[in-house]
Amino acid sequence: DTLVMNLCGALANLAHKNDANRARIWKTGIVDTLLQQASRDVQSVNLSRAVQNRNLMIAALLMNLSAGASFRAKMMKIGVQNLLIKIVSSGDNKEMVRYALGALRNLSLEPSVQVELVEAGLLDACIHVYTTYSEKDVYQDGTSAHQHGAAILRGLS
């Protein structure tokens, strides 16, 4: 799991603000494989630190991939929204929730998938964010879960 965590971290870095790298990563098929692993883990209660860190980096990768408009519909097609909404709705790891919110924010900007996001439970996830976190819950980058939730709602409008 440590190796996969480092691989996901490297891929997340490569995907940051780089559509060519996003395309290369997408073509490998690794996103679907990682999504399956993380989706199984979300159902588990007692995850090792290594698995938690791996899943954190998977969420970071999904956020950076979803920043590319041409990947949003593809990501929805393999079901990333279900994992991301589950993380936001029940996640204990604040940074993982931040990455999941970032990915959902990016996905919400794509008009062709907005209805599907809402049907998957995105609005309930945003309500959960507002009831679970306060404005004082600030991430390392200075943003808050409330700001990410607001950005998602703006993206849907």
Side-chain angles (χ1 to χ4, degrees):
D1 286 323
T2 302
L3 178 64
V4 176
M5 176 198 67
N6 288 318
L7 171 67
C8 290
L11 292 174
N13 289 338
L14 289 169
H16 184 70
K17 297 182 180 182
N18 190 317
D19 274 340
N21 283 345
R22 289 178 186 131
R24 288 181 193 103
I25 292 166
W26 187 262
K27 285 180 186 176
T28 67
I30 194 165
V31 176
D32 196 31
T33 302
L34 294 170
L35 179 64
Q36 290 174 24
Q37 281 185 340
S39 295
R40 279 193 306 269
D41 294 340
V42 168
Q43 307 303 324
S44 302
V45 177
N46 297 321
L47 296 176
S48 71
R49 185 88 164 145
V51 170
Q52 291 177 34
N53 288 335
R54 181 200 68 202
N55 290 348
L56 175 69
M57 290 296 98
I58 291 173
L61 174 60
L62 294 175
M63 181 180 75
N64 288 348
L65 284 174
S66 66
S70 62
F71 300 96
R72 294 174 186 151
K74 294 174 186 177
M75 292 176 73
M76 291 288 291
K77 194 175 267 188
I78 65 168
V80 298
Q81 67 278 13
N82 299 320
L83 172 66
L84 296 169
I85 289 170
K86 180 83 170 168
I87 290 169
V88 169
S89 298
S90 61
D92 296 343
N93 184 317
K94 197 165 105 172
E95 287 300 315
M96 191 182 313
V97 170
R98 178 177 74 93
Y99 289 134
L101 284 168
L104 288 167
R105 178 199 60 230
N106 292 338
L107 293 171
S108 75
L109 298 173
E110 181 61 40
S112 67
V113 302
Q114 290 173 339
V115 170
E116 191 176 350
L117 283 168
V118 171
E119 289 173 351
L122 181 60
L123 296 179
D124 289 334
C126 287
I127 291 169
H128 177 77
V129 165
Y130 283 104
T131 58
T132 303
Y133 298 98
S134 76
E135 277 296 320
K136 294 178 183 176
D137 292 317
V138 178
Y139 298 115
Q140 290 178 348
D141 66 358
T143 63
S144 72
H146 284 198
Q147 290 172 317
H148 287 279
I152 289 169
L153 296 175
R154 277 193 307 276
L156 293 173
S157 59

